Amino acid sequence: MPVSYKDSGVDVERGYKAVELMKKHVKTTFNENVLGDIGSFGGFYSIAGEKMEEPVLVAGTDGVGTKLKYAFLANRHDTIGIDAVAMCVNDIVCQGAKPLFFLDYFATGKLSPETVATVVSGVAEGCRQSGCALIGGETAEMPGFYPDGEYDIAGFAVGIVDKKDVINGKTIAEGDALIGIASSGIHSNGYSLVRRLFGDNLNAHDLDRYDDRLKDNLINVLLTPTKIYVKSVLNLISKVKVKGIAHITGGGFIENIPRIFPEGIGCEIDTKSYPVPEIFNIMREKSQTEDAQLYNTFNMGIGMVFCVDQKDVEKTMETLASTGEKAYLIGKTVKGKGVVLK
């Protein structure tokens, strides 16, 4: 008897259906720079309209990580795509780059067209929030490689900045101010520890019950999508001379903030300068670990950190507030190395 591709577990008809379901979401992100339609062997994006002296492309790639486990448990797939976009565009905007386009990669053992379309609807929403176009992607059906009902998603973004406007931290000096803006929660980092603390069972660990301290069901808090800061950042750097920007992701404060400093510069962070979301306090209690480890794992309520001259602090705070951000003066740069928590 002949053995077909479908017999091996790959059904191309499901793939065709998935593409059709995705199209309506993808097209909502298109702008005048997108050339062609999805389905080609490559996505086309024109940069002819960018008025820059020396345009530089900036790229970033990332995934969502084991936060996906909670999406599988709750059978909720509409916001995971936002996380995938956020982790990429929030990185490239730290260099002052405006995101242009995004591509995603979705892989699963048995393709559910409805599930992948729901995930991509979240990707499209993330693209709309960041002002970039979703110009393509890849959907892979890989029988036997993923457990039933599970998948992985990753992607990459490309942005553009004039070379003279690149933000690289070279001018950061002792005494500069560090301003943080509030995160939407855990974002998409540290979920291996989160899952160790809260478990992977909706009922046994009360994940789907209302929590008085959180004022919400725990699963809702754990699946809150990563906040996309692109429009607020681009607005700020158009009005204030920002010396450096750090996206607080895996590695937390300890790893990410020093990445923007030149040699010989460190910083002091006042951990009492802003309200820490209750989910982090609960994890502190459950893990019984030191603050230094928590601040080296989670964003602890701060999603982005900006380094500016002291004279620009007030204008920075006002500008961020005008775009709806909650901004806090959280520290300053000092001579030395690394991060000192106070």
Side-chain angles (χ1 to χ4, degrees):
M1 295 290 291
V3 179
S4 69
Y5 201 17
K6 186 174 181 178
D7 293 329
S8 69
V10 178
D11 187 343
V12 294
E13 294 298 326
R14 288 199 298 262
Y16 300 152
K17 182 180 179 181
V19 171
E20 286 303 310
L21 292 174
M22 285 187 273
K23 279 185 175 180
K24 64 179 180 180
H25 303 298
V26 174
K27 288 186 175 180
T28 64
T29 72
F30 283 8
N31 55 44
E32 67 278 7
N33 297 315
V34 178
L35 309 179
D37 202 349
I38 61 171
S40 299
F41 288 101
F44 295 85
Y45 191 95
S46 172
I47 59 172
E50 299 293 338
K51 307 302 180 184
M52 297 181 180
E53 296 174 12
E54 294 184 85
V56 176
L57 296 179
V58 181
T61 185
D62 210 337
V64 179
T66 62
K67 182 177 186 176
L68 287 169
K69 284 288 189 179
Y70 286 125
F72 305 151
L73 280 172
N75 194 28
R76 286 165 48 180
H77 311 285
D78 56 330
T79 61
I80 285 299
I82 299 175
D83 287 295
V85 176
M87 298 307 293
C88 298
V89 297
N90 283 347
D91 272 356
I92 66 175
V93 80
C94 289
Q95 277 68 60
K98 175 183 71 173
L100 298 176
F101 58 83
F102 186 84
L103 284 86
D104 67 329
Y105 174 80
F106 180 98
T108 188
K110 182 178 180 180
L111 186 64
S112 164
E114 292 75 19
T115 297
V116 67
T118 301
V119 173
V120 171
S121 74
V123 175
E125 173 60 23
C127 288
R128 290 191 295 270
Q129 288 183 24
S130 57
C132 68
L134 177 56
I135 65 170
E138 172 68 14
T139 302
E141 190 169 28
M142 303 164 65
F145 200 79
Y146 294 91
D148 289 346
E150 297 193 2
Y151 57 80
D152 196 12
I153 181 171
F156 76 88
V158 173
I160 194 167
V161 61
D162 204 329
K163 188 174 181 179
K164 64 181 175 57
D165 297 324
V166 170
I167 298 173
N168 54 25
K170 286 185 177 180
T171 63
I172 294 175
E174 179 187 6
D176 285 336
L178 296 176
I179 294 172
I181 50 178
S183 70
S184 56
I186 307 172
H187 285 183
S188 301
N189 300 105
Y191 271 80
S192 294
L193 176 55
V194 172
R195 290 170 47 237
R196 178 70 180 270
L197 297 177
F198 295 112
D200 284 336
N201 186 304
L202 283 177
N203 297 316
H205 294 275
D206 296 331
L207 293 175
D208 206 21
R209 294 185 184 181
Y210 185 83
D211 187 287
D212 289 330
R213 291 176 64 179
L214 295 173
K215 309 300 185 204
D216 200 349
N217 287 22
L218 177 57
I219 190 64
N220 294 339
V221 174
L222 298 181
L223 284 176
T224 298
T226 305
K227 189 170 184 179
I228 293 177
Y229 300 99
V230 170
K231 292 180 179 178
S232 294
V233 174
L234 293 178
N235 179 64
L236 176 65
I237 64 179
S238 72
K239 298 175 180 177
V240 176
K241 180 63 176 176
V242 177
K243 296 184 174 186
I245 307 174
H247 181 203
I248 310 304
T249 57
F253 282 48
I254 307 300
E255 179 186 335
N256 289 289
I257 298 178
R259 290 168 66 179
I260 66 174
F261 295 155
E263 189 71 27
I265 296 293
C267 71
E268 294 178 350
I269 298 293
D270 181 359
T271 59
K272 298 180 179 59
S273 59
Y274 69 94
V276 175
E278 195 63 17
I279 184 64
F280 296 108
N281 292 325
I282 292 173
M283 289 194 292
R284 176 189 282 117
E285 295 165 10
K286 279 184 166 290
S287 66
Q288 298 182 16
T289 190
E290 298 176 353
D291 272 3
Q293 293 183 358
L294 292 174
Y295 280 86
N296 198 24
T297 305
F298 302 113
N299 67 62
M300 299 303 288
I302 296 294
M304 294 281 247
V305 174
F306 305 91
C307 185
V308 299
D309 193 285
Q310 289 288 347
K311 65 179 176 58
D312 292 323
V313 168
E314 184 175 350
K315 187 175 182 181
T316 299
M317 303 281 277
E318 291 174 352
T319 303
L320 289 168
S322 73
T323 52
E325 303 293 351
K326 295 178 181 178
Y328 308 93
L329 179 60
I330 65 170
K332 64 180 181 180
T333 57
V334 297
K335 286 184 179 180
K337 183 180 180 181
V339 177
V340 176
L341 302 174
K342 302 182 73 174

